[in-house]
Amino acid sequence: MAEYRLEDLARISGVSARNIRAYRERGLLDSPRRVGRSAYYGDRHLDQLTAISQLLAKGFNSAHIAEFFVALRGGKDLADALGIRASDWCRPATLVLNVDPAGDDVHTLVEFGLVHVVDGSVEVADSALVALINGTEDHRRLVRSMAHLARATGPTIDHLAELVAAAVAQCQEGPLDARLPELARAVVSAGVGRALGAAAATAD
């Protein structure tokens, strides 16, 4: 991982050392790694400076940018950081796929609750899927891939769901009881994401 002294960071980023110090003091820039009196910056700081410069060029002031960064560091997405509900108006509520509603792949996806057939049209209602699929032209290939994934993982997912439900039941003994299902989803989602990342790295 690359590390830079302040002068090197200023030269590479095009942001003056004075402004870098000011951004750090305002909470825009993460603190550097310190070794004695020396400060070392990394690629993360370079990315932050790039983002700051782009936002300033678009007319945002440092107070706005600091507010955005606080929200993003707190785990919010960009829409939340901007204080808007983008999902309500910038994405279609449903997406109609240009595929045969009587096909086996569509039947599989209906069984898995991934699509619905409404008046002879195949519709996707899940907002995450809509965001992923929107703009894709080859719907037949997409549906074929989704159905293959569903068939390949279905039995394992069912078994995983049973294990999670049993684990949740064992944990129900305190004030977090109402939030345990949501907590379980987050833990399982993070675990699946980690495992998929590891499998992809091994495949490469």
Side-chain angles (χ1 to χ4, degrees):
M1 183 178 294
E3 287 194 317
Y4 316 99
R5 296 290 187 98
L6 178 60
E7 295 76 14
D8 296 326
L9 183 66
R11 175 176 51 80
I12 295 170
S13 67
V15 179
S16 70
R18 179 180 178 180
N19 282 343
I20 291 174
R21 291 192 187 96
Y23 295 157
R24 195 177 66 205
E25 291 170 0
R26 295 173 189 167
L28 298 177
L29 194 68
D30 289 345
S31 298
R33 185 176 74 87
R34 293 196 173 275
V35 179
R37 299 184 64 182
S38 298
Y40 296 92
Y41 299 83
D43 289 333
R44 178 184 61 186
H45 298 95
L46 190 57
D47 290 341
Q48 289 173 344
L49 288 174
T50 299
I52 292 168
S53 297
Q54 291 174 343
L55 289 169
L56 287 172
K58 292 180 183 296
F60 293 99
N61 61 37
S62 59
H64 291 143
I65 298 171
E67 185 177 343
F68 297 159
F69 281 13
V70 167
L72 293 173
R73 287 174 178 132
K76 295 183 179 180
D77 61 21
L78 183 57
D80 289 332
L82 292 170
I84 60 176
R85 292 180 56 82
S87 59
D88 289 346
W89 52 269
C90 73
R91 300 189 189 103
T94 61
L95 184 66
V96 177
L97 301 179
N98 184 24
V99 294
D100 180 5
D104 290 340
D105 289 337
V106 170
H107 181 68
T108 295
L109 297 181
V110 169
E111 287 184 341
F112 276 80
L114 297 172
V115 303
H116 303 282
V117 178
V118 180
D119 296 330
S121 297
V122 180
E123 296 185 354
V124 181
D126 181 270
S127 59
L129 281 176
V130 169
L132 285 170
I133 296 171
N134 197 24
T136 303
E137 296 182 359
D138 192 349
H139 289 175
R140 283 185 294 179
R141 182 177 180 184
L142 178 74
V143 165
R144 188 165 60 247
S145 298
M146 289 172 62
H148 175 71
L149 288 167
R151 293 185 189 109
T153 60
T156 302
I157 290 174
D158 290 341
H159 181 59
L160 177 60
E162 293 173 0
L163 293 175
V164 172
V168 168
Q170 291 175 351
C171 293
Q172 290 180 338
E173 54 181 34
L176 282 175
D177 287 1
R179 300 179 65 182
L180 279 175
E182 181 182 350
L183 184 64
R185 288 189 186 92
V187 170
V188 171
S189 177
V192 170
R194 176 190 53 76
L196 283 172
T202 301
D204 292 340

